[in-house]
């Protein structure tokens, strides 16, 4: 056994303590501190020596200790109220108000004291006040004595007299928890003995003296070459350190930027839209009739001030209005209702990313062209685990002379494969006011089963023609928040936007 | 989207005779089962524009017609109406449109009656917009003498015993005291006169769209002669509702008898309108070539004819074009593409093979997003955690906490919850909210957010660029960058160190100019100036502000209101970068 090698792994505190340990069995409370070690540090260091097999634990002894509480100390300073009360009552009966004033104790606190005194027949409540019946100071004086005895230390219950034990148990029962004046607690004391290895190392250390091993290497040591011919303290490299404070991107931001890159790779250009939108772009241009339920107060946030957009492109509004009324030149019958042009200027908080696609169609897009947008949208909804006050949508369009439903299906298949990572998909007939045909895509999640990926369709002619586009347009929108929740393992949508830093730091990235 | 309750027993019977699987059936009606109990299935119907599918009868008709090309009669549409509904001039300004029809020969059993009431309620709620646009009434026709009149009268002029009451009430009393009057009274808001249906013997049938009279308007099991009316503010919706009801009753075997509504004033469809009626004024042209082009498939006239039959269309083929009339109970067919979708449904999406896009296009990411990404990575390098906050905030609380002098929030009018009463106009409050909720996370905290804000210009003009048409209304939308540091010993200098490093990394020279701002400690707050103009703020948060946010640590922050376009412009040469740094050194 190479005691020297083991010695090199000891911290200076450990070797210091080891040198001081008695040869026979000892308890942790008996170890005297060689340096300025606190009792906690001694306990800890003994623990380390034990893990290194230098000492072994022989037994644990439980003992019950009594000490006094802050309240106890306070009583000691002010004196026992019972003794004061007896002193005061000796001069004659007294009402409780005056008594409270003279002993300087609030009535609520005084009452339980008085009633316990009455129970012991020390006082009685007579007409016109409280009367001292029996002078029985001894017990209270003894309590005071015990408090004094415990003022600066603690005692084992076994070392108390029977009478003292009675006082302790009575005084800790009699008053509420906060009012306790004694504290009784259990303590475990471990008893150790040096192992043969420990004894050998102790011998070695005592004989050879402690050669200073290098703990933390300093610049100074390098400068003066102090380290030469010295041993380094060997570290326990298995100890888990506290975590490093990190700078981190928000996992949702990473997810969004991952999606952006995916779409860019598919040839999509990113579009930008407005948060505050006139209803024209949010709804009218998308052929949503003006009394559509999704346009009402219960679905959309209306802006309080300013209420309306000052200018809209008049010719566009005319064409869209005509399309709603009678189909304009789109070949449609239109909705056939009275279109309110004023309504088009009403400002709302964007409720759907499709508004951005509508704007793009009206801005002379490239044909063939592919565009997408990641947009914060707002809906009038009660906020809960599945509804956030504002949330992300991803929207896109594909414009080309030669595209059809089958291209749309392929695009959705690609999204499912590339973004949701699923080869199993389902196309479900669906309805949106602005597309025909309309499709909902579902994909099979390995754990959660069939999930909605998003909606898509071919924009209606009633949408594209008034905005100046006469080629087929594929439109699609994928639900991002839901997918992000699945990807990031989040169950409550509010956690995506949480203000709890700890939660954000624990959120796993994709 | 509407959720409808359908009688499970009846539904399963029809499903069975259609021979379709449940899955296929649901695809056809764009439905999803949301739940069920012993008696009913709850089905969500995605197509808000197909009220005919908001009924058990309509769903069953669609399934049977699709699977077996079963023909359902609509012969009654071509018969002369035997009765008249006389519309009086007084309703023109109140609730101008009405229609009615008779159904007989189908004795109502319990299921039938239950279904009829459900249709009435569902249509009133959905296309009726809670009876404002359309309200429907059903009556025992044996108690009615024709012709029936529909007119408007002053609130105290008539009284009758409404359903659910034992005593006669005036119209005003009904609106004030009758539960239906209280519930639907707002449909007549502001009207000086109230509408009534009155029969030839001057007996009141109902006070539409509120309540029927007890005498004629109580529909019971065993009745086999019904009078059904609808009134509303839009003629097409009124007719459509009655068409859907007529189709449902006809499906149950009833004979439908049209009634002619005659108007004393001009309406979109003229002065006379028998109901039920075909809604399309002229046939729609479906070109085979267009169907092929839209669907990307080979489809011949035979397949098209077959599909049209399955969806109940009436059609005539001439050359490469089909002249088409939609079934009378459908109003969603506005364009040939609506028919083309049905052709696709008939074939089934599973039978379309996806086809790769062949156009070459170049993708890109918005420069501001690239810049935001770059800024984000710089912050991460400096040990900052990124935050994404909700854009909706509690505006008055935020303003109160920040001791803001101005109020540039865009607020919403219909507030759902005070916690989300408007849009943030800067990011620092969002970061302080994080601080407020994160006192248990070990300090120091270093956090940042790059995000959109919306600023209502209380003075001056908006700077919206012209591509974002129509918003020169004093609302600015910008992307801001904000950072916050907090913890024992954090001071202004810590924020400034981060700002300096960020700006150096971005090669943007800046200067700080001392300013006063209520949210910050006096003498520890500066405007961040880039090229001589204010592009942000930096400072140590004033303790009163911290206290209002319940934050118990010193906090220093900065926010850059620099539009990302500028970030790009300054993407710099080494010289620029050097000069910027020098300027800073000289200053400090």
């Amino acid at each position: 056994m190479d005691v020297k090698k083991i010695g090199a792994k000891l911290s200076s505190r450990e070797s210091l303590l080891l040198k001081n340990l008695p040869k026979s069995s000892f308890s942790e409370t008996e170890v005297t501190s060689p340096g300025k070690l606190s009792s906690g540090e001694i306990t800890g260091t003994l623990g380390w020596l034990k893990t290194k097999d230098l000492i072994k634990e022989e037994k644990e002894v439980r003992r019950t200790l009594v000490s006094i509480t802050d309240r106890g100390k306070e009583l000691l300073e002010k004196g026992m109220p019972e003794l004061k009360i007896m002193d005061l009552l000796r001069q004659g009966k007294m009402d409780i108000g005056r008594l409270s004033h003279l002993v300087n104790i609030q009535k609520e606190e005084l009452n339980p004291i008085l009633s316990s005194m009455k129970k012991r027949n020390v006082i009685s409540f007579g007409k016109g006040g409280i009367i001292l019946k029996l002078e029985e100071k001894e017990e209270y004086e003894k309590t005071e004595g015990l408090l004094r005895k415990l003022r600066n230390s603690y005692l084992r219950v076994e070392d108390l007299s029977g009478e003292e034990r009675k006082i302790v148990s009575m005084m800790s029962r009699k008053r509420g928890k906060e009012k306790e004046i004694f504290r009784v607690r259990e303590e475990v004391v471990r008893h150790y003995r040096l192992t043969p290895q420990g004894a050998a190392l102790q011998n070695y250390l005592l004989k050879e003296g402690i050669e200073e091993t290098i703990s933390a290497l300093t610049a100074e040591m390098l400068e003066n070459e102090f380290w030469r011919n010295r041993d380094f303290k060997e570290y326990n490299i298995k100890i888990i350190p506290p975590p490093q404070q990190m700078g981190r991107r928000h996992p949702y931001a990473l997810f969004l930027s991952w999606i952006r890159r995916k779409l860019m790779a598919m040839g999509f250009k990113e579009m930008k839209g407005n948060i505050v939108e006139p209803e024209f772009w949010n709804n009218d241009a998308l052929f949503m009739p003006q009394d559509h339920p999704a346009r009402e107060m219960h679905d959309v946030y209306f802006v309080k001030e300013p209420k309306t957009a000052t200018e809209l492109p008049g010719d566009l509004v005319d064409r869209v209005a005509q399309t709603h009324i009678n189909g304009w030149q789109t070949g449609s019958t239109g909705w056939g209702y009275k279109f309110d042009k004023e309504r088009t200027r009403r400002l709302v908080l964007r409720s759907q990313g499709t508004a951005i696609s509508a704007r793009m169609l009206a801005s002379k897009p490239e044909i063939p062209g592919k565009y997408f947008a990641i947009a914060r949208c707002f809906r009038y909804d009660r906020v809960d685990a599945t509804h956030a006050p504002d949330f992300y949508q991803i929207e896109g369009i594909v414009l080309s002379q030669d595209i059809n439903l089958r291209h749309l299906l392929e695009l959705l298949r690609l999204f499912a494969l590339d973004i949701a990572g699923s080869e199993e998909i389902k196309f479900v007939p669906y309805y949106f006011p602005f597309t025909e045909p309309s499709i909902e895509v579902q994909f099979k999640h390995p754990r959660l089963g069939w999930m909605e990926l998003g909606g898509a369709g071919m924009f209606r002619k009633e949408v594209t023609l008034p905005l100046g586009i006469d080629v087929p347009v594929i439109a699609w929108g994928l639900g991002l928040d839901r997918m992000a929740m699945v990807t990031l393992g989040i169950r409550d949508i509010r956690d995506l936007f949480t203000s709890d830093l700890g939660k954000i730091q624990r959120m796993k990235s994709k | 989207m509407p959720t409808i309750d359908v009688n499970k027993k009846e539904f399963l019977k029809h499903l069975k005779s259609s021979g379709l699987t449940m899955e296929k059936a649901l695809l056809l009606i764009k439905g999803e089962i949301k739940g069920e109990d012993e008696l009913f299935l709850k089905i969500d119907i995605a197509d808000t524009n197909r009220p005919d599918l908001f009924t058990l009868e309509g769903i069953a008709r669609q399934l049977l017609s699709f699977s077996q090309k079963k023909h359902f009669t609509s012969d009654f549409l071509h018969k002369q109406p035997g009765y008249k509904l006389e519309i009086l001039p007084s309703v023109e300004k109140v609730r101008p449109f009405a229609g009615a029809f008779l159904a007989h020969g189908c004795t109502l059993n319990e299921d039938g009656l239950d279904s009829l009431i459900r249709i009435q309620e569902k249509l009133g709620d959905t296309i009726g917009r809670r009876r404002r646009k359309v309200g429907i009434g059903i009556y025992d026709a044996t108690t009615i003498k024709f012709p029936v009149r529909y007119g408007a009268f002053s609130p105290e002029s008539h009284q009758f015993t409404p359903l659910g009451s034992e005593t006669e009430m005036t119209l005003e009393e009904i609106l004030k005291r009758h539960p239906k009057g209280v519930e639907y009274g707002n449909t007549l808001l502001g009207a000086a006169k109230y509408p009534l249906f009155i029969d030839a013997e001057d007996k009141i049938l109902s006070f539409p769209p509120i309540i029927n009279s007890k005498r004629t308007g109580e529909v019971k099991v065993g009745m086999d002669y019904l009078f059904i009316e609808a009134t509303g503010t839009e003629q097409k919706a009124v007719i459509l509702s009655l068409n859907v009801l007529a189709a449902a009753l006809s499906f149950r075997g009833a004979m439908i008898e049209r009634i002619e509504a005659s108007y004393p004033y001009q309406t979109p469809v003229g002065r006379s309108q028998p109901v039920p009626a075909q809604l399309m004024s002229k046939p729609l042209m479906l070109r085979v070539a267009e169907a092929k082009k839209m669907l990307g498939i080979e489809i011949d006239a035979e397949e098209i004819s077959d599909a049209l039959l399955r969806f109940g269309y009436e059609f005539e083929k001439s050359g490469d074009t089909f002249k088409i009339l939609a079934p009378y109970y459908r109003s969603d067919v506005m364009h040939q593409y609506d028919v083309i979708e049905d052709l696709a449904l008939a074939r089934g999406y599973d039978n379309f093979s996806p086809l790769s896009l062949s156009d070459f296009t170049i993708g890109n990411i918005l420069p501001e997003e690239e810049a935001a990404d770059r800024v984000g990575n710089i912050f991460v390098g400096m040990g900052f955690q990124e935050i994404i906050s909700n854009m909706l905030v509690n505006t008055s609380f935020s303003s109160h906490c920040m001791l803001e002098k101005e109020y540039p929030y865009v607020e919403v009018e219909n507030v759902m919850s005070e916690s989300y009463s408007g849009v943030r106009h800067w990011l620092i409050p969002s970061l302080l909210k994080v601080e407020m909720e994160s006192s248990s996370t070990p300090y120091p905290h270093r956090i940042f957010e790059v995000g959109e804000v919306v600023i209502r210009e209380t003075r001056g003009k908006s700077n919206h660029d012209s591509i974002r048409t129509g918003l020169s209304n004093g609302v600015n939308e910008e992307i801001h960058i904000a950072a916050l540091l907090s913890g024992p010993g954090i001071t202004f200098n810590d924020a400034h160190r981060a700002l300096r490093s960020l700006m150096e990394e971005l090669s943007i020279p800046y200067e700080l100019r001392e300013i006063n701002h209520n949210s910050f400690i006096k003498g520890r707050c500066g405007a961040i100036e880039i090229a001589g103009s204010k592009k942000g703020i930096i400072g140590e948060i004033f303790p009163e502000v911290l206290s209002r946010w319940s934050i118990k640590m010193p906090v220093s922050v900065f926010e850059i209101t620099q539009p990302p376009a500028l970030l790009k412009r300054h993407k710099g040469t080494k010289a620029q970068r050097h000069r910027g740094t020098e300027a800073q050194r000289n200053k400090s």
Side-chain angles (χ1 to χ4, degrees), chain A residues 143-158:
Chain A
T143 307
E144 204 168 29
L146 183 57
L147 282 173
R148 203 165 291 127
K149 200 163 154 189
L150 290 167
R151 185 199 304 249
N152 292 319
S153 65
Y154 50 82
L155 286 176
R156 296 198 299 186
V157 169
E158 304 86 81

Side-chain angles (χ1 to χ4, degrees), chain A residues 254-273:
Chain A
L254 291 179
F255 179 77
L256 292 177
S257 97
W258 174 74
I259 297 257
R260 272 195 181 90
R261 291 197 306 273
K262 284 272 173 204
L263 285 163
M264 180 172 71
M266 291 185 208
F268 283 88
K269 280 191 165 64
E270 189 171 9
M271 315 179 270
K272 172 92 186 148

Side-chain angles (χ1 to χ4, degrees), chain B residues 337-353:
Chain B
Y337 293 107
D338 295 298
V339 183
I340 292 174
E341 184 185 67
D342 286 342
L343 302 181
L345 292 187
R347 189 179 270 210
Y349 287 141
D350 288 348
N351 298 315
F352 285 80
S353 54

Side-chain angles (χ1 to χ4, degrees), chain B residues 210-480:
Chain B
I210 312 293
I211 188 79
N212 284 4
S213 82
K214 197 180 169 85
R215 190 180 64 84
T216 61
E218 201 166 3
V219 186
K220 293 179 189 138
V221 170
M223 288 183 176
D224 75 345
Y225 191 30
L226 301 173
F227 172 73
I228 295 169
E229 53 76 8
T231 59
T233 53
E234 259 181 55
Q235 194 167 25
K236 197 173 153 194
V238 168
I239 300 170
L240 175 66
S241 305
L242 290 168
N243 284 358
V244 168
L245 269 157
L249 283 161
S250 169
F251 180 84
R252 285 192 181 270
M255 312 274 287
I256 303 299
E257 209 175 321
R258 302 213 290 174
I259 294 177
E260 179 185 342
S262 73
Y263 288 91
Y265 43 85
Q266 197 57 44
T267 76
V269 296
R271 286 177 180 260
S272 158
Q273 173 63 57
V275 179
Q278 169 58 249
L279 288 160
M280 290 171 77
S281 52
K282 60 177 197 293
L284 201 126
M285 299 300 166
L286 170 69
R287 297 202 331 262
V288 179
E290 200 56 43
K292 285 183 183 170
K293 185 170 185 300
M294 166 69 111
L295 301 178
I297 53 170
E298 277 309 313
I299 186 166
D300 55 24
E302 199 181 329
E303 184 177 346
I304 292 177
S305 306
D306 181 75
L308 292 177
L309 272 181
R310 291 178 190 273
F311 277 92
Y313 289 99
E314 287 176 40
F315 59 91
E316 238 175 72
K317 182 177 174 294
S318 63
D320 259 0
T321 304
F322 282 79
K323 266 170 87 174
I324 291 179
L325 276 180
Y328 65 100
Y329 45 81
R330 279 181 66 174
S331 72
D332 63 310
V333 183
M334 292 185 272
H335 200 284
Q336 60 173 331
Y337 293 107
D338 295 298
V339 183
I340 292 174
E341 184 185 67
D342 286 342
L343 302 181
L345 292 187
R347 189 179 270 210
Y349 287 141
D350 288 348
N351 298 315
F352 285 80
S353 54
L355 196 64
S356 287
L357 287 162
S358 55
D359 294 318
F360 174 77
T361 54
I362 294 172
N364 72 19
I365 291 175
L366 284 173
E368 52 259 55
E369 293 299 343
E370 303 255 35
D373 223 33
R374 183 156 168 245
V375 167
N377 290 338
I378 296 171
F379 271 116
V380 169
M382 297 194 289
F384 283 66
Q385 166 70 52
E386 183 173 25
I387 302 294
I388 298 182
S389 309
N390 281 116
M391 291 192 63
L392 287 183
V393 298
N394 184 334
T395 47
S396 56
F397 177 72
S398 177
S399 174
H400 162 80
C401 289
M402 299 308 292
L403 302 166
E404 285 182 83
K405 266 194 281 188
E406 289 174 20
Y407 201 77
Y409 291 95
V410 167
E411 291 183 294
V412 296
E413 192 165 78
N414 46 334
V415 174
M416 157 67 89
S417 144
E418 280 307 321
S419 311
Y420 311 108
S421 54
V423 191
R424 64 186 178 191
H425 72 88
W426 57 331
L427 298 175
I428 287 171
S430 299
L431 295 183
L432 286 169
K433 181 162 178 267
V434 172
E435 273 312 295
M436 179 174 80
E437 293 182 22
S438 305
S439 58
S440 60
T441 304
Y443 289 94
H445 295 169
R446 294 187 204 88
I447 56 177
F448 77 99
E449 179 160 7
V450 181
E452 290 167 292
V453 300
V454 178
I455 304 161
R456 196 181 142 214
E457 285 296 321
T458 41
R459 304 172 295 206
K461 275 286 251 178
S462 145
N463 65 5
H464 255 288
D465 47 38
S466 61
I467 187 169
R468 305 193 189 177
T469 18
L471 271 178
S472 49
N473 49 29
V475 174
N476 285 340
E477 296 182 10
E478 298 175 355
I479 294 184
H480 284 194

Side-chain angles (χ1 to χ4, degrees), chain A residues 24-38:
Chain A
S24 55
S25 168
F26 59 91
S27 83
E28 56 188 343
T29 51
E30 288 163 5
V31 175
T32 48
S33 162
K36 282 181 232 154
L37 296 190
S38 70

Side-chain angles (χ1 to χ4, degrees), chain A residues 245 248-250 267 274-276 291 297 300 302 304 310-311 330 333 400 405-406 430 438 460 501, chain B residues 1 30 129 133 294 296 334-335 338 341 353 359 361 366 386 411 413-414 438 444 468 470 472 477:
Chain A
Q245 260 210 356
R248 245 175 129 233
R249 295 303 301 274
H250 194 290
N274 295 326
I275 287 158
V276 175
D291 73 341
M297 299 272 289
V300 177
F302 289 90
K304 192 164 158 193
T310 42
E311 40 184 85
T330 63
T333 61
S400 172
L405 184 66
R406 290 171 59 198
Y430 207 72
S438 303
R460 300 187 69 100
L501 191 51
Chain B
M1 83 182 59
K30 300 185 182 176
R129 308 280 188 261
K133 199 165 150 188
M294 166 69 111
M334 292 185 272
H335 200 284
D338 295 298
E341 184 185 67
S353 54
D359 294 318
T361 54
L366 284 173
E386 183 173 25
E411 291 183 294
E413 192 165 78
N414 46 334
S438 305
R468 305 193 189 177
S472 49
E477 296 182 10

Side-chain angles (χ1 to χ4, degrees), chain A residues 21-28 31 42-43 46-50 55-59 189-194:
Chain A
L21 292 180
K23 303 259 184 245
S24 55
S25 168
F26 59 91
S27 83
E28 56 188 343
V31 175
I42 291 176
T43 311
L46 286 172
W48 283 116
L49 290 176
K50 185 186 154 200
I55 57 175
K56 68 169 190 269
E57 194 179 317
E58 290 203 309
K59 60 180 174 183
V189 179
R190 291 175 200 81
H191 287 246
Y192 296 102
R193 177 190 285 277
L194 283 169

Side-chain angles (χ1 to χ4, degrees), chain A residues 171-187:
Chain A
M171 296 308 277
S172 41
R173 225 186 312 131
K174 207 162 58 183
R175 293 181 165 142
K177 206 157 188 181
E178 292 157 31
K179 300 282 153 55
E180 254 176 352
I181 57 175
F182 296 108
R183 182 179 299 121
V184 180
R185 65 189 155 93
E186 286 238 305
E187 197 185 69

